[in-house]
Amino acid sequence: MPPRPDLAPEPALCRALAADLGAAGFFSEALRAAWGETADTATARGLRSPALRALGERTDALAVLGRLFVLGMPQPGAAVGEALPRTGVDGLGRLGLAAVDEETVTPQAIIRPQSFTDDRGSGQWWIASDLDEAALGGALPDDHVLGVGGASLTLAGLQLPTPVARGLDIGAGCGIQSLRARRDVAAVVATDVSDRALGFTQLNALLNGVDGIEVRRGSLFEPVGGERFDRIVSNPPFVITPRVKGVPAYEYRDGGLQGDDLVAAVVSGVGAHLAPGGVAQLLGNWEDRGARSGLDRVRQWVAASDIPLDAWIVERERLDPLSYAELWIRDGGTLPGSPEFAQLIDAWLEDFAARGVTGIGFGYVLLRRPAAGAPTLARYERVPQSLDPGTALGAHYADALAAHDRLAALDDAGLAASVLVVGADVTEARHHLPGIESPSVIELRQGGGFARTVPADPGLAALVGASDGDLPVGALIDAIASLLEVDPAELRAELLPAVRELLFTGFLRFG
């Protein structure tokens, strides 16, 4: 394949391209309607033929741009010129998005519309990135810039929806996290080791009319030495890759360090760049080594920070070494069954064995520099239940932090004096053995947030059911103790810690 042209995100051309894309109706829903739900799903998996069959011989602007930018296929120059009258085929070439000859426009990048929804409403971006495996017809180049994938959508949905002044996006890639951050952050610095990634970040900001994003080249915190931020977000190159000859190292996912050392470096170093009250959010992998769990090792990284930090770590998934190796070798475009695939598997497993790795965890990291005083939050948990695709947890995170801060200032007497309401998404399930009147199991279930299920005894279930914003917690406990014929003081000692947990997790809210 000939070398890719350099990106040249000229503001005027980016505005022209945005106008052309909008005029062509180049949006997610329109494309889905053009080629159907099945083809849309297949396209997300790198399969182009269903969409091509659905488009047939169509030559309208949406069909031409869908083939060119979504499927990554060359198109006739005349058709592209008609679809992009303001930009023109020469404009695409000047931007570095296509190679142009007398008759054909060959894409050098993909542009995909990306719908999103957060607490402020819904919207859509156009996201440009490098050609994928389907368009390339083989393995990715080492300096590939990834588009919007599952991990990047997850992190975008985790970002806190609270306004702050200054943010940092470490390892910006195509710039999706910077775009999301700018919805709540006044100014963002985006860093990456890849000039091409920073070019895509600039181009995508211009294409979507988003200002306030400054790009800087460098690794981790090097470009921002001595600076502090109110919000730091990172989808770092956290994939654990053997550092041996013959194993590809992709810039978008491999940080160049051994094992999970890169995530450890971000966790232990981010505190120095957080302003008081500032929050960092990132995704990461961590290794279980021998009898020591990955979550315990993350706790050690947090303790190594020069700045004491609040920490909320959620492990969402855990894979054995073989499954992890297979996942990321396939991600790079190497097919199972090939000699190369088997060789890479051996390299991965030997690397894990050298460190005594028994499993690899994936999850969400939230770190906060206390505005004043010592840290009060140290929560390391496994939350493996599945969530609906596209679930945005940012508002849930913000509510949980606010509840934690309020609880940290309340002793048990203060909590007992508080009036609470049950979350609108909370339901109760009771399981009875046949012929037995009393339930053997009571569960509280959460429709939002992490969709948790919490076992409850009759006292806790009664307290949650009675939390309607009328009576304080203490009065409710006394009434329940009378009904259950138990000691009120003992019931209070049993239920108040559970109430604190339910407030943090969103089952209960302060009235």
Side-chain angles (χ1 to χ4, degrees):
M1 173 175 288
R4 297 169 302 187
D6 292 334
L7 295 171
E10 299 178 27
L13 273 178
C14 289
R15 289 193 295 271
L17 179 56
D20 284 335
L21 295 176
F26 189 68
F27 302 111
S28 299
E29 291 300 324
L31 284 168
R32 190 175 296 113
W35 51 46
E37 292 286 345
T38 299
D40 202 59
T41 301
T43 299
R45 296 175 180 173
L47 302 173
R48 301 187 296 183
S49 55
L52 286 174
R53 283 195 298 271
L55 292 178
E57 301 299 319
R58 285 178 54 174
T59 59
D60 56 284
L62 181 64
V64 170
L65 297 179
R67 294 189 194 98
L68 181 73
F69 285 139
V70 178
L71 305 181
M73 301 182 65
Q75 294 294 289
V80 175
E82 291 179 7
L84 302 174
R86 300 166 184 82
T87 312
V89 294
D90 291 338
L92 282 185
R94 285 163 53 192
L95 287 169
L97 296 175
V100 180
D101 61 25
E102 293 182 357
E103 298 182 353
T104 305
V105 175
T106 301
Q108 300 298 301
I110 57 178
I111 301 176
R112 288 178 174 158
Q114 180 63 58
S115 301
F116 66 87
T117 302
D118 60 22
D119 67 306
R120 294 170 58 184
S122 60
Q124 190 155 236
W125 292 307
W126 292 299
I127 304 296
S129 60
D130 272 326
L131 297 171
D132 57 18
E133 299 100 316
L136 291 171
L140 303 173
D142 292 353
D143 61 348
H144 177 80
V145 177
L146 189 68
V148 177
S152 54
L153 285 177
T154 294
L155 183 58
L158 291 175
Q159 289 195 42
L160 298 180
T162 47
V164 293
R166 197 158 184 255
L168 171 65
D169 177 8
I170 303 171
C174 68
I176 181 67
Q177 304 307 327
S178 293
L179 290 175
R180 171 59 188 84
R182 275 290 287 118
R183 287 174 67 78
D184 297 293
V185 182
V188 174
V189 175
T191 70
D192 205 291
V193 297
S194 165
D195 286 327
R196 188 165 179 82
L198 295 178
F200 274 118
T201 295
Q202 289 178 300
L203 188 147
N204 287 326
L206 290 167
L207 196 58
N208 292 286
V210 177
D211 62 3
I213 298 176
E214 174 192 354
V215 300
R216 300 184 194 176
R217 188 179 187 280
S219 177
L220 297 182
F221 304 107
E222 290 175 359
V224 293
E227 298 181 55
R228 292 182 180 178
F229 301 86
D230 305 297
R231 189 73 43 77
I232 297 176
V233 63
S234 181
N235 184 11
F238 58 74
V239 176
I240 298 167
T241 305
R243 308 260 73 88
V244 296
K245 184 179 179 180
V247 176
Y250 298 107
E251 286 184 350
Y252 75 90
R253 71 181 203 188
D254 303 316
L257 301 181
Q258 186 180 65
D260 51 21
D261 286 353
L262 185 131
V263 179
V266 177
V267 170
S268 60
V270 73
H273 298 278
L274 285 172
V279 172
Q281 294 180 272
L282 61 138
L283 305 180
N285 279 153
W286 37 81
E287 297 176 338
D288 297 341
R289 294 183 182 175
R292 189 164 196 184
S293 74
L295 283 177
D296 284 343
R297 297 183 62 248
V298 178
R299 188 189 298 269
Q300 181 183 28
W301 302 341
V302 174
S305 170
D306 291 336
I307 305 297
L309 297 171
D310 287 320
W312 183 7
I313 316 300
V314 177
E315 184 173 277
R316 296 286 289 133
E317 186 179 7
R318 184 182 181 277
L319 293 177
D320 62 82
L322 176 59
S323 298
Y324 186 89
E326 290 176 327
L327 170 68
W328 292 109
I329 294 169
R330 288 196 305 268
D331 178 80
T334 303
L335 297 178
S338 66
E340 294 80 10
F341 191 90
Q343 291 168 5
L344 291 174
I345 287 288
D346 287 342
W348 244 278
L349 296 183
E350 289 173 6
D351 181 62
F352 284 135
R355 291 189 301 278
V357 175
T358 56
I360 303 93
F362 165 80
Y364 315 153
V365 176
L366 184 147
L367 303 168
R368 182 176 63 171
R369 182 171 183 167
T376 56
L377 176 61
R379 189 179 180 97
Y380 299 79
E381 59 178 330
R382 291 184 175 89
V383 187
Q385 59 264 25
S386 61
L387 301 175
D388 290 335
T391 298
L393 290 168
H396 177 70
Y397 265 72
D399 290 343
L401 291 177
H404 168 80
D405 293 342
R406 186 165 176 178
L407 286 166
L410 281 179
D411 59 13
D412 282 352
L415 180 57
S418 300
V419 175
L420 307 180
V421 294
V422 65
D425 61 334
V426 175
T427 57
E428 179 185 278
R430 295 185 175 229
H431 304 271
H432 297 257
L433 293 173
I436 305 299
E437 181 178 355
S438 298
S440 57
V441 177
I442 304 174
E443 293 177 329
L444 302 175
R445 296 176 178 174
Q446 181 182 50
F450 279 106
R452 299 174 191 263
T453 296
V454 175
D457 59 23
L460 183 60
L463 176 59
V464 171
S467 295
D468 57 5
D470 186 14
L471 297 176
V473 172
L476 292 176
I477 292 177
D478 289 344
I480 293 167
S482 178
L483 288 173
L484 297 178
E485 298 181 346
V486 298
D487 180 79
E490 291 181 359
L491 187 61
R492 183 173 298 203
E494 175 187 332
L495 292 185
L496 288 182
V499 169
R500 290 181 180 273
E501 174 68 8
L502 293 180
L503 280 164
F504 181 85
T505 52
F507 285 82
L508 292 172
R509 302 180 187 277
F510 286 101

